[in-house]
């Protein structure tokens, strides 16, 4: 019989479920047990233990996450950074080199620039939109290329098809952080990426109440990363697995609303005289718009912008808002606003930040699920008072 869970909306609800509901429960129960009876286990890998990422809550989530991106395998992790660090530590060794897109989440940027060189792993930052320049940074020891689907916080969409063909041509592993797009808007394995990473803290969970991560992709690579994670100890607790699974069930409806609301708000901002520049890949004015429209099924819920005034005006504007919370992170049901120079990218040195265009007046808005018109009215009153 064919699999009835075809569309992503259906997979979000049912993929990974046991063949029969456990004790008749329609929600998959939480198995809050650190260890399980070892009888019948023939090897260490068959022992069930939370740190080994193989308890029933892990296994069911792994199946669901793999199904969402049409991938061979998946792994949940204790945070997005646990997914990123375990992936790079599993796939790279001392002496290896990799390429990384030059605008990335601040925590990833810090891990690359501060931690990996200490382990003898080197890299070069490259421009995502300039494939011609990639070749010149290639070395015999280059093993991996790391990009983000929609970059944090500049919301660039790199030439992702060329990233994949470049990696295949040079026999290097392609890794993409798909957090900002979510599997609703982009499914990296369908485009040939080897590994897709998520901070599930954001859209996948969607309720700003847990920290979690995921690695999705080719089975042999996911298994290698799982072994590394088992040693590093960054496993997700079963209760957090349960919450993530619950959040995932509404991902499709949430994401479609985020996509539409952010587009409407980006259009409003672009037409407001107090606004200098809006960064949103769904706007025709965005330099990567055509590519984003071709690759993505939606442009996501993140908007960045700058006001005509400087840092002081940006602070005044943020203070006058009444709906969005002033907080880092993103992808939740509530709108969140922040200045990346003070939060997500505060660890970066100021010169690097300025070089990328993340000034002190640069604002990032995570559009939540409040009524779009309420958010527009709130932004308007704050712009017109500041
Ligand atoms: N990737 C991106 C694009 C992010 O924005 C973040 C966090 O903001 C992370 C990864 C790290 O995720 P976590 O905070 O869950 O470790």
């Amino acid at each position: 019989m064919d699999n009835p869970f075809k569309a992503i909306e259906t997979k979000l609800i049912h993929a990974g479920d046991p063949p029969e509901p456990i004790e008749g429960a329609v929600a998959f129960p939480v198995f809050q047990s650190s260890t399980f009876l070892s009888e019948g286990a023939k090897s260490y890998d068959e022992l069930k233990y939370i740190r080994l990422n193989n308890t029933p809550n892990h296994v069911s989530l792994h199946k669901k996450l793999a199904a969402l991106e049409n991938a061979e395998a998946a792994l949940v992790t204790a945070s997005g950074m646990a997914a990123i660090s375990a992936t790079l530590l599993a796939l790279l060794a001392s002496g290896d080199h990799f390429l990384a897109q030059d605008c990335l989440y601040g925590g990833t940027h810090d891990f690359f620039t501060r931690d990996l060189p200490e382990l003898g792993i080197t890299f070069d930052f490259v421009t995502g939109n300039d494939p011609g320049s990639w070749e010149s940074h290639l070395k015999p020891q280059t093993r991996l290329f790391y990009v983000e689907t929609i970059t944090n916080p500049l919301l660039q969409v790199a030439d992702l098809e060329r990233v994949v063909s470049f990696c295949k041509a040079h026999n290097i592993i392609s890794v993409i952080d798909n957090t900002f797009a979510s599997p609703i808007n982009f499914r990296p394995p369908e485009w040939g990426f080897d590994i897709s990473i998520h901070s599930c803290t954001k859209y996948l969970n969607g309720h700003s109440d847990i920290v979690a991560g995921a690695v999705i992709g080719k089975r042999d690579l996911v298994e290698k990363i799982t072994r590394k994670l088992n040693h590093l100890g960054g496993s997700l607790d079963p209760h957090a697995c349960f919450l993530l699974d619950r959040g995932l069930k509404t991902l499709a409806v949430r994401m479609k609303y985020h996509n539409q609301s952010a587009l409407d708000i980006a259009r409003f901002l672009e037409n407001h005289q107090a606004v200098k520049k809006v960064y949103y890949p769904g706007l025709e004015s965005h330099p990567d718009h055509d590519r984003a429209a071709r690759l993505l099924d939606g442009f996501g819920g993140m908007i960045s912008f700058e006001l005509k005034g400087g840092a002081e005006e940006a602070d005044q504007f943020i203070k006058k808002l009444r709906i969005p919370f002033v907080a880092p992170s993103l992808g939740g049901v509530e709108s969140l606003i922040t200045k990346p120079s003070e939060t997500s990218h505060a660890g970066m040195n100021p010169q690097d930040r300025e070089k990328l265009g993340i000034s002190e007046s640069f604002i990032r808005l995570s559009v939540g699920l409040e009524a779009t018109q309420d958010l527009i009215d709130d932004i308007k009153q704050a712009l017109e008072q500041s």
Side-chain angles (χ1 to χ4, degrees):
M1 261 211 301
D2 68 339
N3 182 349
F5 311 151
K6 296 187 196 75
I8 196 162
E9 292 82 353
T10 315
K11 292 178 188 173
L12 284 164
I13 314 288
H14 295 296
D17 278 356
E20 290 299 327
I22 296 163
E23 295 287 329
V26 297
F28 194 79
V30 189
F31 287 78
Q32 197 72 44
S33 181
S34 60
T35 190
F36 291 70
L37 301 183
S38 57
E39 202 183 320
K42 290 184 196 66
S43 70
Y44 181 73
D45 288 343
E46 288 181 22
L47 294 173
K48 283 201 201 107
Y49 185 59
I50 290 176
R51 181 171 49 74
L52 300 181
N53 300 292
N54 58 5
T55 74
N57 293 98
H58 292 105
V59 172
S60 113
L61 254 184
H62 293 164
K63 288 185 187 152
K64 179 171 286 184
L65 289 165
L68 296 183
E69 294 198 347
N70 293 315
E72 292 172 8
L75 166 72
V76 281
T77 63
S79 67
M81 282 311 298
I84 293 166
S85 54
T87 297
L88 294 199
L89 294 174
L91 303 182
L92 299 170
S94 178
D96 286 347
H97 169 264
F98 68 103
L99 301 175
Q101 191 173 2
D102 56 6
C103 177
L104 296 170
Y105 164 60
T108 309
H109 182 277
D110 288 356
F111 176 62
F112 290 0
T113 54
R114 296 181 193 193
D115 298 311
L116 291 181
E118 284 178 6
L119 301 172
I121 298 168
T122 58
F123 66 93
D124 277 299
F125 281 129
V126 294
T127 310
N129 289 346
D130 185 12
S133 70
W134 303 343
E135 198 100 26
S136 63
H137 291 97
L138 207 59
K139 299 185 193 323
Q141 61 274 31
T142 305
R143 302 272 174 265
L144 184 148
F145 196 163
Y146 188 101
V147 294
E148 290 180 358
T149 313
I150 305 175
T151 63
N152 182 359
L154 293 171
L155 308 178
Q156 295 165 342
V157 179
D159 200 337
L160 301 176
E161 288 160 298
R162 292 281 283 278
V163 170
V164 170
S165 56
F166 179 85
C167 288
K168 287 195 193 310
H170 297 286
N171 200 21
I172 59 182
I173 301 169
S174 49
V175 179
I176 184 163
D177 180 333
N178 196 33
T179 301
F180 272 36
S182 91
I184 300 298
N185 291 334
F186 191 67
R187 291 161 301 282
E190 290 178 359
W191 294 83
F193 277 94
D194 296 315
I195 288 291
S196 158
I197 287 180
H198 288 271
S199 166
C200 305
T201 314
K202 321 296 187 206
Y203 290 110
L204 269 54
N205 177 57
H207 293 75
S208 306
D209 51 10
I210 60 163
V211 168
V215 177
I216 305 173
K218 293 216 168 109
R219 185 173 306 281
D220 58 334
L221 298 177
V222 173
E223 281 174 1
K224 213 169 166 190
I225 297 162
T226 304
R227 279 196 293 280
K228 183 63 77 178
L229 189 77
N230 289 351
H231 291 157
L232 295 173
S235 61
L236 192 65
D237 178 79
H239 189 250
C241 289
F242 166 81
L243 288 173
L244 174 55
D245 187 46
R246 188 169 74 166
L248 275 167
K249 291 183 193 206
T250 55
L251 179 68
V253 279
R254 285 188 285 108
M255 218 55 225
K256 288 172 197 172
Y257 190 94
H258 286 300
N259 287 342
Q260 185 59 53
S261 195
L263 182 60
D264 293 347
I265 293 170
R267 289 215 165 104
F268 165 79
L269 284 167
E270 192 170 50
N271 289 320
H272 198 285
Q273 75 223 3
V275 177
K276 182 161 106 191
K277 185 163 177 189
V278 184
Y279 302 74
Y280 184 70
L283 291 176
E284 289 74 12
S285 59
H286 190 287
D288 301 330
H289 174 70
D290 290 348
R291 183 182 308 118
R294 190 159 43 77
L295 295 175
L296 309 178
D297 295 336
F299 301 106
M302 300 301 297
I303 306 172
S304 294
F305 56 102
E306 289 168 293
L307 303 184
K308 284 199 176 130
E312 176 60 24
E313 280 76 5
D315 291 337
Q316 286 306 319
F317 162 72
I318 289 173
K319 261 200 206 121
K320 296 203 167 94
L321 287 168
R322 290 178 298 176
I323 298 179
F325 288 115
V326 183
S329 201
L330 59 113
V333 293
E334 60 292 289
S335 294
L336 299 176
I337 197 156
T338 191
K339 291 210 303 184
S341 61
E342 292 173 0
T343 54
S344 57
H345 291 68
M348 235 168 147
N349 86 45
Q351 289 88 342
D352 285 349
R353 235 179 9 232
E354 287 289 334
K355 226 182 338 171
L356 288 173
I358 309 167
S359 68
E360 308 273 310
S361 60
F362 191 97
I363 298 167
R364 193 191 73 185
L365 173 66
S366 170
V367 176
L369 301 185
E370 300 93 345
T372 310
Q373 194 56 50
D374 282 352
L375 288 172
I376 290 178
D377 290 347
D378 191 32
I379 292 169
K380 187 167 186 294
Q381 65 78 26
L383 283 174
E384 289 169 11
Q385 273 188 68
S386 42

